[in-house]
Amino acid sequence: MDKHPRTYEGKTEIKIEHPDMIICRCEEVTLAQIIEAISEGARTVDEVKRRTRAGMGLCQGRTCSRLVRHLLAQHTGQNFHQIPPMTARVPVRPIALEVLASLEDDTNG
Amino acid sequence: MAKKHAVIIGGGIIGASCAYYLAKSGLSVTLMDKGGLCTEASKASQGHLFLWELPPVNVILARESKKLYMQLIDELDVDLEFRPTGSMSIAETPESLVSLAQTCEQLQAIGVDCEVLDRATVLRREPNLSTHITGGASFPEDAQLNPLIVTIGLVEGARKWGATIRLNTEVIGIQIDNSQTIKAVETNNGTIQTDYVVNAAGAWSGMIADMANLHLPVMPRKGILMVLDQVPQDVMNCKIIMASGYLDSLKSGNKTAVAANIQQTRGGNVLLGSSRAFAGFDKVVNPEVISEMARRCLRFFPCLKGMQVIRSWAGLRPYSPDMIPIISDTKVKGFYVASGHEGVGITMAPITGLLISQLINNQTPLLPLEPLSINRFDPEISA
Ligand SMILES: Cc1cc2nc3c(=O)[nH]c(=O)nc-3n(C[C@H](O)[C@H](O)[C@H](O)COP(=O)(O)OP(=O)(O)OC[C@H]3O[C@@H](n4cnc5c(N)ncnc54)[C@H](O)[C@@H]3O)c2cc1C
Ligand code: FES
């Protein structure tokens, strides 16, 4: 899978070692599933979310959406910073009040 | 003589109440909505009967409305889930307690039952509140009910008195004859001739008024609500607990305002509000706003931190520039307005329907209607 160009400028580079690696812990979405979604045409975090549920879990994408952006950058050749973060973090699944209260405004990346 | 016919535009709680009181008074009534019944602000709301929103004219409307609710409990065939819960307003600083006490004095002068409480009393009544609070006030006349059931109950009541309900029927034009009298209402499902029209289209009522060449400065004011999982009823003894800053948040202007407004329903779920913003007709739930609402709530009730937020949604309050509703006849004969209830439309629904019915039937109104007239926004008349 290393044939994809690495023109993105993200801070973390995800070593793609194991397709079963869990990217979204809350929804148990694997790396292979995310890459499949991208190869099917997903180009934004929201599109990946709709196809795989990554980002819909208890933490509402706090843990995984950054990783998904990196993967999108890596696999589509886009610049990391041009990939918008997840839009609505409305609880689509239950989320603890405490977690919601601790959300910071990280819309800049 | 044939019965006079009234078309009511808007199947929210206000249109439902107008339909009920008009049908009961003997008119032939058609209630129409572009969508379903109770799908907009009325569905998005909490069910707080808020008896002390200033200015005084609102307090009087709310008081008469609550009396009508007590009658509706017997009149309607459904259980409105009415509970005489009372409400409590909580101050977090010495200054806000002083200002809350001043508000109470003003309210007592117009007959509102309320009592300022010191910190110890508040914490004795509500042991789960955070101890940083400085005091509060109680409003024993406030109450709670289920706005969805009220709306449906009123519509079913209207139907019993012969009203016709037309859903998925969007009003697209109003026909007026040369003598400035209502002729007909045009919809996507055809045109209906009518003697009277009641504009109860909530946040959209300004657009309906435009169709009749009338100026009605009602604007959508977005409010977001979250619902939490069920918690035991003894977590909150008083079922409606608001930050003392709530009244200030009503005057927030263009900024997004958030003030904790925490309610527990009969089923045990906690409803968490409230926010106010002018954002056009947009109903997106903004993550930063619900996050702030969550922080405010936890500031009052730290024990709720592990609770799950199940859902959140936004509704559009029909905002009137002076925060007083418009319950009025107009320059167009036969065209009436029942709108602009902002954050108290659930509270004021029954009195609004009754006053509209009294206006249309030329009966002496229960309350003076001048302060509620659309004329206050007409520079030619109000000057
Ligand atoms: C978050 C929130 C919490 C609230 N909490 C409370 C509370 O605790 N207590 C309280 O008293 N009030 C509360 N309110 C305020 C209350 O919900 C509103 O004041 C009230 O619902 C307004 O009712 P309405 O019937 O005028 O508007 P709506 O319920 O919005 O109904 C208007 C209807 O008109 C229809 N319509 C629009 N245009 C057309 C057209 N062209 N043709 C046909 N139909 C049309 C719409 O589809 C809609 O159904 C709250 C509001 C919000 C948003
Ligand atoms: S890790 Fe994906 S939603 Fe929590």
Side-chain angles (χ1 to χ4, degrees):
Chain A
M1 274 187 244
D2 258 336
K3 59 182 178 277
H4 295 282
R6 299 206 170 186
T7 50
Y8 74 102
E9 293 168 31
K11 286 172 214 147
T12 32
E13 184 176 314
I14 302 158
K15 283 261 164 56
I16 303 162
E17 266 142 17
H18 208 290
D20 289 339
M21 184 171 123
I22 300 280
I23 297 294
C24 173
R25 276 181 288 163
C26 302
E27 289 289 323
E28 296 194 358
V29 183
T30 62
L31 176 66
Q33 286 172 292
I34 307 261
I35 291 176
E36 188 185 321
I38 296 172
S39 69
E40 283 170 1
R43 286 294 174 272
T44 65
V45 185
D46 289 317
E47 283 165 12
V48 171
K49 179 171 79 177
R50 277 197 288 275
R51 281 170 215 244
T52 65
R53 306 189 69 81
M56 287 189 180
L58 265 183
C59 84
Q60 297 292 291
R62 284 234 296 163
T63 319
C64 62
S65 81
R66 228 187 136 78
L67 287 171
V68 171
R69 281 172 76 202
H70 280 290
L71 286 166
L72 274 163
Q74 236 171 316
H75 289 268
T76 63
Q78 299 178 75
N79 182 311
F80 175 80
H81 297 287
Q82 282 164 353
I83 300 174
M86 215 158 68
T87 46
R89 262 221 218 75
V90 182
V92 278
R93 316 276 321 269
I95 174 175
L97 198 55
E98 187 179 25
V99 174
L100 188 58
S102 70
L103 280 186
E104 278 155 40
D105 188 7
D106 60 357
T107 36
N108 294 321
Chain B
M1 207 178 76
K3 275 191 187 178
K4 293 276 192 182
H5 183 244
V7 167
I8 292 147
I9 306 170
I13 197 165
I14 299 296
S17 174
C18 293
Y20 177 72
Y21 284 99
L22 279 170
K24 200 177 149 195
S25 79
L27 261 71
S28 148
V29 166
T30 303
L31 175 70
M32 52 179 67
D33 198 288
K34 66 180 160 71
L37 288 176
C38 200
T39 48
E40 294 289 348
S42 305
K43 181 189 179 195
S45 67
Q46 289 167 303
H48 176 188
L49 296 191
F50 186 21
L51 280 276
W52 49 281
E53 185 188 88
L54 289 165
V57 49
N58 283 359
V59 173
I60 292 160
L61 282 165
R63 189 179 294 156
E64 292 305 323
S65 210
K66 185 182 170 193
K67 288 185 198 155
L68 293 172
Y69 265 125
M70 303 320 283
Q71 296 171 11
L72 288 173
I73 289 173
D74 297 326
E75 277 172 47
L76 301 180
D77 287 336
V78 290
D79 174 5
L80 306 183
E81 297 186 7
F82 176 88
R83 295 200 296 175
T85 54
S87 78
M88 231 196 242
S89 179
I90 306 292
E92 292 181 278
T93 62
E95 299 77 42
S96 54
L97 186 57
V98 170
S99 126
L100 184 60
Q102 283 164 351
T103 305
C104 283
E105 231 171 83
Q106 215 181 330
L107 289 167
Q108 280 158 349
I110 51 172
V112 174
D113 185 4
C114 56
E115 186 191 359
V116 181
L117 308 172
D118 62 21
R119 178 171 175 276
T121 310
V122 173
L123 291 174
R124 186 155 28 80
R125 291 198 194 175
E126 296 296 337
N128 289 315
L129 267 177
S130 162
T131 52
H132 80 281
I133 60 130
T134 55
S138 72
F139 299 88
E141 293 165 318
D142 281 15
Q144 187 186 63
L145 41 67
N146 183 327
L148 242 130
I149 296 181
V150 172
T151 309
I152 303 301
L154 286 166
V155 171
E156 287 311 317
R159 221 197 285 265
K160 271 202 167 162
W161 289 104
T164 306
I165 319 298
R166 291 180 59 173
L167 304 180
N168 302 310
T169 302
E170 180 169 5
V171 174
I172 51 177
I174 308 277
Q175 291 179 9
I176 299 164
D177 71 13
N178 291 335
S179 63
Q180 285 294 300
T181 305
I182 279 291
K183 247 175 71 188
V185 172
E186 295 167 3
T187 77
N188 60 343
N189 282 327
T191 300
I192 345 183
Q193 309 293 319
T194 186
D195 303 293
Y196 309 111
V197 169
V198 180
N199 176 3
W204 297 263
S205 55
M207 297 177 185
I208 302 288
D210 280 345
M211 296 177 195
N213 294 319
L214 290 164
H215 173 59
L216 177 66
V218 169
M219 291 207 312
R221 196 180 201 184
K222 178 157 99 173
I224 300 177
L225 216 57
M226 287 190 265
V227 57
L228 311 192
D229 232 341
Q230 292 164 353
V231 295
Q233 290 284 355
D234 60 6
V235 169
M236 308 170 57
N237 290 319
C238 180
K239 297 301 164 197
I240 305 175
I241 293 192
M242 303 156 87
S244 67
Y246 181 80
L247 281 185
D248 297 325
S249 79
L250 302 179
K251 300 177 230 146
S252 64
N254 284 330
K255 288 201 316 267
T256 297
V258 176
N261 183 334
I262 305 161
Q263 290 191 32
Q264 187 171 28
T265 64
R266 198 168 71 171
N269 295 87
V270 173
L271 288 175
L272 199 63
S274 68
S275 70
R276 285 186 152 74
F278 293 107
F281 288 91
D282 160 61
K283 283 191 290 185
V284 167
V285 173
N286 311 84
E288 68 283 5
V289 175
I290 53 174
S291 180
E292 179 63 23
M293 283 162 52
R295 279 193 287 278
R296 302 277 177 125
C297 170
L298 292 179
R299 220 159 75 193
F300 286 96
F301 284 108
C303 64
L304 292 179
K305 69 180 180 195
M307 291 307 304
Q308 300 289 308
V309 180
I310 309 179
R311 272 189 327 125
S312 66
W313 60 80
L316 302 173
R317 302 180 185 92
Y319 166 83
S320 139
D322 56 9
M323 293 292 282
I324 298 169
I326 300 115
I327 304 171
S328 178
D329 54 5
T330 65
K331 288 192 283 198
V332 175
K333 256 186 83 197
F335 188 89
Y336 296 80
V337 176
S339 178
H341 298 76
E342 216 269 4
V344 285
I346 308 305
T347 309
M348 291 183 184
I351 187 68
T352 303
L354 180 69
L355 289 173
I356 286 287
S357 152
Q358 291 174 332
L359 256 171
I360 291 183
N361 288 303
N362 278 319
Q363 293 161 344
T364 316
L366 189 67
L367 297 172
L369 293 172
E370 259 141 59
L372 313 175
S373 170
I374 193 175
N375 292 341
R376 67 191 194 265
F377 303 115
D378 186 334
E380 279 171 34
I381 299 177
S382 62

